[in-house]
């Protein structure tokens, strides 16, 4: 077993901006020559998350709508009362989605479904530069 690591940088718009990371990840994986293993992705920061979804406008709109219903932007959050930065909703949303994702690598390919892409969701209330750490363990 060996391990490979890299970072991906993204510029986001905030407010539930959804970015497809799949092409960048697949491109990097091709440089490792690993056939079988586990890929872990982790997004830095407490106002962004990472998951998989079909990256098409309807599914993205549905995801954003569900997130808005679970952690609405227009209500009072104790975080905002303490820090005054207005992004309490972003912290809650990111905690619900989670900062990391693990995907099996089988015969040199990510074990994703046909319509399944890796996405980073930035919930903050302003544009951000996001760093995603990728670590591959395999052979």
């Amino acid at each position: 077993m060996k391990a490979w690591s890299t970072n991906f940088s993204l510029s986001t718009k905030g407010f539930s901006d959804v970015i497809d990371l799949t092409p960048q990840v697949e491109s990097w994986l091709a440089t490792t020559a690993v056939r079988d293993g586990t890929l872990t992705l982790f997004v830095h920061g407490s106002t962004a998350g990472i998951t998989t979804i079909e990256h098409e406008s309807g599914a993205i709109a549905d995801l954003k709508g569900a997130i808005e219903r679970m952690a609405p932007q227009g209500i009072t959050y104790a975080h905002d009362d303490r820090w005054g930065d207005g992004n309490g909703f972003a912290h809650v949303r990111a905690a619900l989605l989670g900062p990391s994702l693990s995907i099996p690598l089988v015969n040199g390919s990510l074990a994703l479904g046909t319509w399944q892409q890796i996405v980073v969701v930035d919930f903050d209330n302003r544009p951000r530069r996001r760093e995603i750490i990728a670590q591959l363990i395999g052979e």
Side-chain angles (χ1 to χ4, degrees), residues 1-8 21 24-26 28-32 34 36-44 50 99-105 110 118 131-139:
M1 289 286 197
K2 288 180 69 177
W4 293 259
S5 296
T6 194
N7 288 10
F8 301 103
L21 189 62
Q24 291 164 280
V25 171
E26 288 176 334
W28 172 68
L29 287 172
T31 69
T32 68
V34 175
D36 296 288
T38 302
L39 172 68
T40 300
L41 299 163
F42 180 85
V43 60
H44 280 265
I50 192 164
S100 65
L101 179 67
S102 294
I103 304 167
L105 186 72
L110 291 171
I118 303 163
E131 296 293 324
I132 295 90
I133 298 172
Q135 187 171 67
L136 177 62
I137 298 174
E139 49 191 6

Side-chain angles (χ1 to χ4, degrees), residues 64-82:
K64 289 180 178 184
I67 289 167
E68 180 62 31
R69 289 187 296 277
M70 287 190 300
Q73 184 176 336
I75 65 172
T76 301
Y77 290 88
H79 174 81
D80 297 338
D81 292 341
R82 180 166 184 184

